[in-house]
Amino acid sequence: MSARRNRPAVGIAEIRPELERLRRRGFLRNALSLGGLTLLTGCDLATHSGVDAALEAIMRFDDRVQAALFSRQRLAATYEASAITRPYRFNAFYAEWQVRPVPDNWALAVSGQVADRRPWTLPALMALPQQGQITRHICIEGWSQIGQWSGVPLHVFLRRVGADLRARYVSFTCFDGYSTSLDMESALHPQTLLALDFVNQPLAPQWGAPLRLRIPTKLGFKSAKNLQAIEVTNKDPGGYWENQGYDQFAGV
């Protein structure tokens, strides 16, 4: 069976957001000339600070447009098992590409705007409803691969801990020093997982043991490995790459 998107045939109402996305990308590409940057920001491009400010303005504009076009009803493509990339590429954010062992007595901490802040052990997470997916991981460096994941839908977990779903962000910190965050709408997307298994086996350390975020509607740097804590908050928490200029929404 050929792989295809999990959605019915669409009409003009459904494709209009895609047309808007293409028009937006064309605008941003044209705006990235010096003249476009000057018109967009009115800043002095003779200094590096002016260029940085202009680029940051475009990134923030891009975030707002992506968020406006995002829909929980629009699913990322899923694939047959025959499409899984073998061998699956290991990736990490640190230069030495090291694998971090799981800390003794690991438990997932929960904080912020939630009713129940008790930590979660692996058995407790495995007792929650599980969901599987075969989806594509897309790296900002230009490569992609297809993997099979299963775990707890994040929206199920957030509701179980009594999270305030009106809050703006969900942040994730990891015991390897990494961090990232999602807007609440993306966190509640049905394909956003707290992944426990990779190709029907418990996560190995290189895939993010014991728990990782898997979100196929985002670029790969959002799918944080080695999760240690989740916080629900109204304050933009940023993240390892987000704090270095990557866009917050990072949709694909």
Side-chain angles (χ1 to χ4, degrees), residues 197-210:
D197 298 330
F198 177 68
V199 193
N200 300 317
Q201 297 293 327
L203 290 179
Q206 66 265 37
W207 310 134

Side-chain angles (χ1 to χ4, degrees), residues 1-6 78-84 134 146:
M1 183 182 297
S2 61
R4 57 185 177 85
R5 290 191 178 274
N6 294 337
T78 59
Y79 301 86
E80 302 297 325
S82 59
I84 295 172
I134 301 177
I146 295 171

Side-chain angles (χ1 to χ4, degrees), residues 4-10 14 18 73-77:
R4 57 185 177 85
R5 290 191 178 274
N6 294 337
R7 52 187 177 191
V10 297
E14 284 85 343
E18 298 296 338
Q73 283 67 53
R74 187 176 296 278
L75 302 180

Side-chain angles (χ1 to χ4, degrees), residues 121-225:
T121 63
L122 274 180
L125 288 165
M126 290 187 289
L128 293 177
Q130 306 287 302
Q131 175 182 298
Q133 60 178 246
I134 301 177
T135 51
R136 186 183 299 275
H137 174 103
I138 301 176
C139 181
I140 200 166
E141 295 176 346
W143 55 268
S144 66
Q145 56 188 353
I146 295 171
Q148 182 178 13
W149 310 89
S150 61
V152 183
L154 182 57
H155 71 87
V156 170
F157 180 81
L158 291 174
R159 289 182 169 91
R160 184 62 61 93
V161 299
D164 182 357
L165 303 184
R166 298 166 299 177
R168 297 181 62 192
Y169 302 101
V170 182
S171 72
F172 305 85
T173 57
C174 312
F175 58 75
D176 64 0
Y178 193 73
S179 62
T180 191
S181 58
L182 298 174
D183 61 285
M184 181 60 76
E185 190 73 5
S186 296
L188 296 176
H189 189 278
Q191 290 176 307
T192 303
L193 288 183
L194 295 176
L196 293 159
D197 298 330
F198 177 68
V199 193
N200 300 317
Q201 297 293 327
L203 290 179
Q206 66 265 37
W207 310 134
L211 183 70
R212 71 170 293 164
L213 186 63
R214 174 63 195 138
I215 175 165
T217 58
K218 304 288 187 183
L219 290 168
F221 75 88
K222 287 290 189 179
S223 289
K225 303 192 295 186

Side-chain angles (χ1 to χ4, degrees), residues 53-114:
L55 290 173
E56 183 175 358
I58 288 177
M59 294 287 282
R60 300 291 78 81
F61 172 78
D62 190 48
D63 271 345
R64 291 193 296 272
V65 174
Q66 288 186 74
L69 295 175
F70 185 79
S71 170
R72 276 187 256 166
Q73 283 67 53
R74 187 176 296 278
L75 302 180
T78 59
Y79 301 86
E80 302 297 325
S82 59
I84 295 172
T85 301
R86 303 177 190 275
Y88 196 82
R89 179 176 178 174
F90 166 67
N91 68 296
F93 80 102
Y94 30 80
E96 58 269 37
W97 300 90
Q98 59 190 334
V99 174
R100 299 296 176 93
V102 179
D104 294 337
N105 301 316
W106 177 92
L108 180 69
V110 181
S111 63
Q113 296 177 223
V114 297

